Each structure stands twice: as structure tokens, then as C-alpha cells.
């Protein structure tokens, strides 16, 4: 369910964050934008303070004219993207980290966070990248939370199982890498078949990309262009489902 790309931070990015960190329901949260609708981003293992995901959040805030929130899922214990030779150390770092931070715990945190903010915004949508996409699927399949959340976006998801394809109750956009060892072609076909038949799913593949490209693209111009296109595709989807 995970592979070397999960710990590949991609090309170094620079960005002047436009938001700030505040506590929401006891959770440190990056907050950007001032809209009456909320977009909640559930992150990969690099967490809410990674400048790459804050850059994405700022783009969504501006493009959708919404408030974008990135809660800290890991109690300030995210994996440091600046760790030397991180990709080569994948198993020695990722395996014990996942034991400390199972995705089931993150799903519970996601539930608590949505419960905290649900009365504060006119609508709520959710986005998840890699690890965080599992939380999106969990919430969109949940009897209670699927009635609160209007739609979701899953970017190069991890930890999904085929049975979840039949449980999703809200519109969802999948931003798919061309090469993805976590969202395999077999798994993707199951989700596409189910969610295309019921009209809830939209799947877009970005040529030349690999797992992690939305937040952690490599430095080539082609991949950066595909990442930018995926951001715009997500913005249009989110605006449609406000």
C-alpha cells in the first residue's frame, strides 16, 4: 500500500505562505482564505506545516474563494521532508511511523475536526493526498459525515480497499498519477467501474506523473505543468460542488 514515492518529497519548492496557524478544536491548523465555505485538506505523511501543501491550500483558497483548513493529523510528529537520503531510508522510517500513526486514528481525527467546524461554514468539502485520501473516502462513506460533506477530492490515494468503492455517497474527483504503486490499475478499475456507473466519480489521469505529484512533483517542466493542471481541475470541481 505504500512505496518509495510516499517518502519522496519531490523537488524543493519555495512559497510565501498566505495563511497562519491557529488551534481549531485543540488541533493546530493551517488556515488560509476567508470564504463562507470550507475546504479541509488531509495531508500525506509530511503533514500540515510542509510548505508544498500550504502552497496548494493557498491556491485552492484563491481559486475557490473558500476558507481552506489543514489540520495537524500527527500531533507535530510528521515525517521531516528534509531528512537526508529519505527515500533510501523508507522502510526504517515509514514502518515504525505508521505504527505510531495508523490511518484509523487519522480518520477519527478527521471526524472530530469536521464535527468542530460544521456549524461555522455554509458548506464543507474535503481533499486528501496519499495517506490523507483514505480519510476522504472514510468520510464520504460514513452515514453521518457524508450528510455533512458535499464532495471530496482524492489525489494519488493510499490504503484504499476495493470494498470502499461501493460505499461512497458523495461526488468525488480522483486525481490519478500515471504511475502509482499505491492506487494500482486493478484497484483503480474497481473504483472507476463502480463510481462511473452511479455517476459519483470523476477520474483524471495526468501523463508522466507518479504517486505524490500534486504535493511533491519532481522538477521537470512537464510534471509541473501536469501538477498545475490538476490544481485547476480540482478548483473547478470544488466550485461546482459548493
Amino acid at each position: 500500500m505504500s512505496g518509495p514515492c510516499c517518502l519522496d518529497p519531490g523537488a524543493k519548492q519555495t512559497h510565501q505562505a498566505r495563511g497562519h496557524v491557529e488551534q481549531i478544536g485543540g488541533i493546530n491548523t493551517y488556515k488560509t482564505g476567508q470564504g463562507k465555505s470550507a475546504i479541509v485538506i488531509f495531508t500525506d505523511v509530511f503533514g500540515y506545516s510542509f510548505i508544498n501543501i500550504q502552497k496548494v491550500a493557498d491556491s485552492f483558497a484563491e481559486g475557490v474563494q473558500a476558507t481552506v483548513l489543514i489540520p495537524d493529523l500527527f500531533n507535530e510528529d510528521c515525517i521531516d521532508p528534509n531528512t537526508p537520503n529519505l527515500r533510501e531510508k523508507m522502510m526504517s522510517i515509514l514502518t515504525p511511523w505508521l505504527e505510531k500513526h495508523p490511518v484509523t486514528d487519522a480518520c477519527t481525527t478527521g471526524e472530530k475536526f469536521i464535527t468542530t467546524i460544521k456549524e461555522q461554514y455554509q458548506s464543507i468539502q474535503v481533499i486528501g493526498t496519499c495517506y490523507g485520501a483514505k480519510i476522504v473516502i472514510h468520510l464520504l462513506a460514513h452515514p453521518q459525515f457524508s450528510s455533512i460533506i458535499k464532495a471530496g477530492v482524492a489525489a494519488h490515494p493510499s490504503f484504499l480497499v476495493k470494498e470502499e468503492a461501493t460505499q461512497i455517497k458523495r461526488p468525488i474527483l480522483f486525481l490519478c498519477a500515471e504511475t502509482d504503486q499505491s492506487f494500482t490499475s486493478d484497484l483503480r478499475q474497481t473504483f472507476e467501474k463502480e463510481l462511473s456507473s452511479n455517476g459519483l466519480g470523476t477520474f483524471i489521469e495526468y501523463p508522466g506523473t507518479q504517486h505524490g505529484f500534486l504535493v511533491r512533483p519532481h522538477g521537470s517542466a512537464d510534471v509541473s505543468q501536469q501538477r498545475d493542471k490538476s490544481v485547476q481541475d480540482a478548483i473547478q470541481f470544488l466550485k461546482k460542488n459548493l
Side-chain angles (χ1 to χ4, degrees):
M1 291 185 180
S2 60
C5 293
C6 286
L7 283 189
D8 185 348
K12 186 174 181 62
Q13 298 187 33
T14 57
H15 177 67
Q16 183 64 49
R18 302 172 196 161
H20 65 277
V21 175
E22 65 178 69
Q23 281 217 336
I24 297 178
I27 298 174
N28 284 341
T29 303
Y30 179 77
K31 181 178 182 180
T32 182
Q34 298 181 346
K36 296 180 180 179
S37 298
I39 298 168
V40 181
I41 299 179
F42 299 112
T43 69
D44 59 22
V45 299
F46 296 115
Y48 81 109
S49 60
F50 189 26
I51 193 62
N52 296 29
I53 193 64
Q54 293 183 359
K55 180 178 180 179
V56 171
D58 289 342
S59 295
F60 287 145
E62 180 179 5
V64 185
Q65 292 296 292
T67 299
V68 181
L69 307 167
I70 315 177
D72 175 17
L73 302 172
F74 312 124
N75 297 313
E76 302 294 341
D77 187 35
C78 63
I79 291 176
D80 183 355
N82 297 311
T83 302
N85 303 314
L86 185 55
R87 186 179 174 119
E88 288 73 18
K89 298 175 182 176
M90 181 195 71
M91 294 310 297
S92 63
I93 293 177
L94 188 59
T95 300
W97 187 88
L98 286 172
E99 290 175 356
K100 290 173 60 180
H101 302 288
V103 73
T104 50
D105 286 359
C107 288
T108 300
T109 300
E111 291 180 5
K112 292 178 179 177
F113 192 80
I114 297 300
T115 299
T116 298
I117 69 168
K118 66 179 182 179
E119 303 298 335
Q120 301 173 27
Y121 296 97
Q122 292 180 355
S123 70
I124 298 173
Q125 299 185 80
V126 291
I127 300 172
T129 70
C130 188
Y131 177 108
K134 178 72 172 185
I135 307 169
V136 168
I137 302 302
H138 169 77
L139 293 171
L140 296 187
H142 194 283
Q144 175 185 349
F145 292 99
S146 63
S147 66
I148 299 170
I149 297 166
K150 286 200 168 184
V153 177
H156 36 80
S158 295
F159 303 109
L160 305 192
V161 294
K162 290 182 177 180
E163 291 74 16
E164 291 171 312
T166 62
Q167 299 168 8
I168 293 170
K169 300 176 176 64
R170 287 289 190 173
I172 183 168
L173 169 65
F174 284 82
L175 305 177
C176 303
E178 182 178 19
T179 302
D180 197 329
Q181 78 289 346
S182 296
F183 196 42
T184 63
S185 58
D186 180 55
L187 184 59
R188 177 176 159 183
Q189 286 172 11
T190 298
F191 275 79
E192 283 198 31
K193 181 178 179 180
E194 178 64 31
L195 294 169
S196 296
S197 66
N198 63 22
L200 290 176
T202 301
F203 295 77
I204 305 176
E205 181 178 302
Y206 298 89
T209 61
Q210 63 180 9
H211 182 86
F213 75 94
L214 175 65
V215 181
R216 302 174 271 125
H218 287 277
S220 75
D222 289 344
V223 171
S224 294
Q225 184 179 37
Q226 292 299 317
R227 188 279 306 275
D228 292 346
K229 182 180 183 302
S230 73
V231 169
Q232 292 305 313
D233 289 339
I235 286 172
Q236 293 308 310
F237 176 85
L238 294 165
K239 289 171 70 174
K240 183 175 70 173
N241 288 284
L242 282 175

